[in-house]
């Protein structure tokens, strides 16, 4: 059991660029295999939103989401959802060991540009419950330019008031952002620094960032209870994240606008029960090695103590591995046996066979419909036959998907599928030795 669960939150305004050909593991906190996060949330802003790009995404996944999830999937993190609203893209993934304890995954969005008619600014959000605690992750992009502080304050309040999540059983009414146990708000908030460009750059060159905090518009507004009331943030002990010449770590000289440096990109969090203090900040930093955009990405790693609630979740599916005639072989049938406990099955429930390291819910190798009245089988269990198992050998898991809960509610222990036995191999895979002709 881990001392605490790790939540890694990352935001990046990518300036309509394509994913760079660089290693993203440090950005996603995957560079230490002994400290892989339990939850990762990534919010992107200014993703290419040209009509042809959006049309392509009806056919295939967004290139940024595909690349980021490929990294996360390689380390055992499974995508819960990815959400897009024009240039905003939001991705949340949970480690496979926690997947069966995730419930009530609900997306939402809020437009704030042009009186709420356009989605160029606003927020996309995802909420879910994990071990009985509710989490809400919000990705926002607010109005630009130094003189629009009041407008940004108004946008943050609009998002907080407007976004609701229907069909959450924990609440009789649609759940709002502040109803959650844990809220993580990330994005390009576009707040600027009320100081001259020369003074900002001079203080940054000496790493005297604390001298700039009193001039930061977000911190000023927050101190007056004009925005993000009750939210916490780590110390801004890294250089302002905007604006740079793309491809460099040099302040803006190429745009012709000579924008003042600013901490536009932020990660904040709020704990509903402030007395519990279960959230602890581990790191809060920018990542200046990533240079394709005029913004630098920012990440926060937070540790949360969920031990008290973890003991309350009981696995509703008992996978009877010892009754499944293991080992399984490729191209043969596999009989899955399980017992249902304290769960009312539904006729649209199904069981997926996944390769270990799968990336998202629909990344199964195959699936079969579960036994509709499985809760009536009691100690004898239920049996589902997987017809013609995958030919590729490796380690797999079975996962039970609840149609009513819209979530995977149980994952089996990993097991191995062996290569097909010789008589079961497809003819194209069998190398037939050709008789030699006499010379």
């Amino acid at each position: 059991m881990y001392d605490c669960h790790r939540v890694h939150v990352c935001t990046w305004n990518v300036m309509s660029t394509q994913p760079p050909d660089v290693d993203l593991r440090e950005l996603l906190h995957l560079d230490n295999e002994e400290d892989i996060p339990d939850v990762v949330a990534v919010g992107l802003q200014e993703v290419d939103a040209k009509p042809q790009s959006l049309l392509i995404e009806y056919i295939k996944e967004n290139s940024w989401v595909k690349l980021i999830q490929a990294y996360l999937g390689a380390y055992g993190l499974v995508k819960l959802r990815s959400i897009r609203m024009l240039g905003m893209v939001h991705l949340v993934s949970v480690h496979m060991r926690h997947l069966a304890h995730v419930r009530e995954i609900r997306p939402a969005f809020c437009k704030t540009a042009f009186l709420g008619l356009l989605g160029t600014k606003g927020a996309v959000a995802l909420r879910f419950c994990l071990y009985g605690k509710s989490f809400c992750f919000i990705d926002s992009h607010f109005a630009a330019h130094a003189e629009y502080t009041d407008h940004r304050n108004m946008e943050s309040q609009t998002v907080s008031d407007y976004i609701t999540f229907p069909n959450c059983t924990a609440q009789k009414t649609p759940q709002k952002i502040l109803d959650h146990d844990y809220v993580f708000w990330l994005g390009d908030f576009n707040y600027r620094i009320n100081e001259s460009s020369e003074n900002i750059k001079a203080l940054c060159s000496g790493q005297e960032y604390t001298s700039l905090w009193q001039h930061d518009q977000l911190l000023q507004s927050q101190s007056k209870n004009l925005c993000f009331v009750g939210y916490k943030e780590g110390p801004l002990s890294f250089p302002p994240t905007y604006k740079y010449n793309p491809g460099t770590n040099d302040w803006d000289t190429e745009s012709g606008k000579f924008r003042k440096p600013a901490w536009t990109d932020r990660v904040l969090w709020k704990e509903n029960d402030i007395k519990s203090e279960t959230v602890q900040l581990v790191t809060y930093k920018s990542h200046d090695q990533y240079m394709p955009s005029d913004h630098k990405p920012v990440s926060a790693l937070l540790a949360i103590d969920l031990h008290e609630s973890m003991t309350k979740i009981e696995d509703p599916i008992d996978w009877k591995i010892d009754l499944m005639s293991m080992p399984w072989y490729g191209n043969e049938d596999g009989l899955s046996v399980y017992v249902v406990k304290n769960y009312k099955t539904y006729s649209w429930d199904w069981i997926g066979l996944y390769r270990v390291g799968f990336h998202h819910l629909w990344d199964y190798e195959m699936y079969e419909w579960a036994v509709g009245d499985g809760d009536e089988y009691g100690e004898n269990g239920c049996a589902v036959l997987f017809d013609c198992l995958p030919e590729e050998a490796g380690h797999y898991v079975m996962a039970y998907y609840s149609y009513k809960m819209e979530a995977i509610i149980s994952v089996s222990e990993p097991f191995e599928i062996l290569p097909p036995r010789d008589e079961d191999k497809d003819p194209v895979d069998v190398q037939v030795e050709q008789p030699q002709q006499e010379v």
Side-chain angles (χ1 to χ4, degrees):
M1 190 66 67
Y2 296 88
D3 292 335
C4 281
H5 291 76
R6 301 294 185 98
V7 175
H8 185 69
V9 183
C10 176
T11 179
W12 193 4
N13 183 318
V14 298
M15 200 186 71
S16 298
T17 61
Q18 292 301 306
D21 186 18
V22 296
D23 191 335
L24 297 181
R25 286 180 297 176
E26 195 269 342
L27 175 65
L28 301 171
H29 199 71
L30 304 174
D31 49 343
N32 181 357
E33 294 193 23
E34 297 181 357
D35 189 28
I36 301 301
D38 300 277
V39 179
V40 173
V42 179
L44 305 176
Q45 306 84 40
E46 291 193 26
V47 176
D48 185 9
K50 293 191 290 290
Q52 59 267 34
S53 300
L54 296 174
L55 181 62
I56 290 172
E57 289 181 31
Y58 278 106
I59 304 171
K60 60 181 182 179
E61 195 167 39
N62 174 266
S63 57
W64 278 97
V65 173
K66 184 176 181 180
L67 177 63
I68 291 171
Q69 185 52 51
Y71 275 96
L72 297 174
Y75 290 86
L77 288 134
V78 179
K79 181 178 74 174
L80 293 184
R81 293 285 192 281
S82 62
I83 317 166
R84 174 153 193 178
M85 185 175 75
L86 288 183
M88 274 173 279
V89 172
H90 195 27
L91 165 68
V92 181
S93 299
V94 172
H95 200 281
M96 189 179 74
R97 61 176 169 263
H98 308 301
L99 188 61
H101 303 286
V102 177
R103 300 287 187 272
E104 298 187 342
I105 307 167
R106 303 284 186 269
F109 66 92
C110 175
K111 303 174 185 178
T112 60
F114 290 95
L115 302 177
L117 298 176
L118 287 182
T120 53
K121 295 293 188 287
V124 288
L126 187 76
R127 64 89 61 200
F128 58 89
C129 289
L130 177 63
Y131 296 110
K133 294 292 186 180
S134 56
F135 289 72
C136 182
F137 293 87
I138 311 155
D139 172 24
S140 282
H141 193 188
F142 293 151
H145 307 305
E147 62 271 23
Y148 286 110
T149 304
D150 292 341
H151 193 79
R152 288 185 280 273
N153 292 341
M154 181 182 68
E155 286 181 302
S156 67
Q157 191 61 50
T158 298
V159 170
S160 187
D161 292 341
Y162 178 85
I163 284 184
T164 56
F165 302 92
N167 303 321
C168 295
T169 58
Q171 300 285 329
K172 293 182 179 179
T173 58
Q175 198 163 21
K176 300 180 73 67
I177 287 175
L178 294 180
D179 293 333
H180 292 81
D181 295 311
Y182 304 103
V183 181
F184 304 88
W185 204 328
L186 55 141
D188 177 5
F189 297 157
N190 257 321
Y191 286 96
R192 308 306 169 93
I193 299 174
N194 292 328
E195 183 60 282
S196 70
S197 182
E198 293 74 16
N199 287 345
I200 295 173
K201 292 176 181 178
L203 290 169
C204 288
S205 65
Q207 298 186 1
E208 299 178 49
Y209 306 122
T210 56
S211 300
L212 291 172
W213 293 355
Q214 62 181 317
H215 305 291
D216 177 77
Q217 293 177 346
L218 192 158
L219 295 178
Q220 289 177 336
S221 297
Q222 196 176 26
S223 67
K224 299 174 184 177
N225 291 331
L226 298 176
C227 70
F228 298 109
V229 177
Y231 284 83
K232 296 180 181 179
E233 183 183 16
L236 297 167
S237 55
F238 48 85
T241 57
Y242 172 86
K243 174 179 171 78
Y244 293 85
N245 293 328
T248 75
N249 284 321
D250 301 326
W251 302 118
D252 175 35
T253 59
E254 297 176 352
S255 70
K257 299 176 182 178
F258 304 102
R259 298 294 191 196
K260 294 191 295 185
W263 285 295
T264 56
D265 310 277
R266 315 287 275 263
V267 176
L268 289 79
W269 75 93
K270 190 176 190 300
E271 194 170 356
N272 201 4
D273 184 2
I274 58 175
K275 296 179 181 180
S276 59
E277 293 288 345
T278 59
V279 180
Q280 299 296 324
L281 179 67
V282 181
T283 60
Y284 187 39
K285 60 184 179 180
S286 64
H287 303 261
D288 58 10
Q289 70 269 42
Y290 301 107
M291 303 182 185
S293 171
D294 56 357
H295 289 250
K296 301 300 181 185
V298 170
S299 70
L301 180 67
L302 303 115
I304 305 179
D305 185 0
L306 295 178
H307 289 164
E308 183 179 349
S309 60
M310 286 181 65
T311 58
K312 301 175 183 177
I313 301 293
E314 181 182 3
D315 193 337
I317 306 296
D318 184 10
W319 301 95
K320 297 295 185 180
I321 300 292
D322 57 328
L323 300 179
M324 295 187 192
S325 301
M326 296 291 186
W328 286 356
Y329 293 87
N331 283 351
E332 297 184 5
D333 296 342
L335 185 68
S336 172
V337 182
Y338 60 94
V339 174
V340 181
K341 302 176 295 182
N342 301 319
Y343 167 72
K344 178 63 178 176
T345 59
Y346 192 75
S347 57
W348 292 98
D349 291 357
W350 50 269
I351 297 173
L353 180 67
Y354 295 83
R355 178 176 288 274
V356 170
F358 66 97
H359 291 183
H360 50 81
L361 177 65
W362 310 114
D363 196 19
Y364 49 73
E365 300 293 322
M366 57 195 310
Y367 76 92
E368 293 291 341
W369 296 111
V371 178
D373 54 353
D375 57 333
E376 297 179 2
Y377 280 62
E379 296 179 356
N380 297 323
C382 311
V384 170
L385 187 68
F386 286 101
D387 183 23
C388 194
L389 294 167
E391 194 169 322
E392 186 176 355
H395 287 87
Y396 293 78
V397 295
M398 289 172 287
Y400 191 104
Y401 180 83
S402 167
Y403 177 82
K404 295 179 72 173
M405 294 186 178
E406 300 180 63
I408 287 176
I409 62 171
S410 181
V411 179
S412 75
E413 292 294 323
F415 59 92
E416 189 174 11
I417 295 181
L418 299 178
R421 290 183 265 210
D422 290 340
E423 63 270 22
D424 294 322
K425 289 183 178 179
D426 290 337
V428 294
D429 296 328
V430 178
Q431 301 297 320
V432 179
E433 184 177 352
Q434 299 294 328
Q436 296 182 357
Q437 295 183 356
E438 294 182 3
V439 178

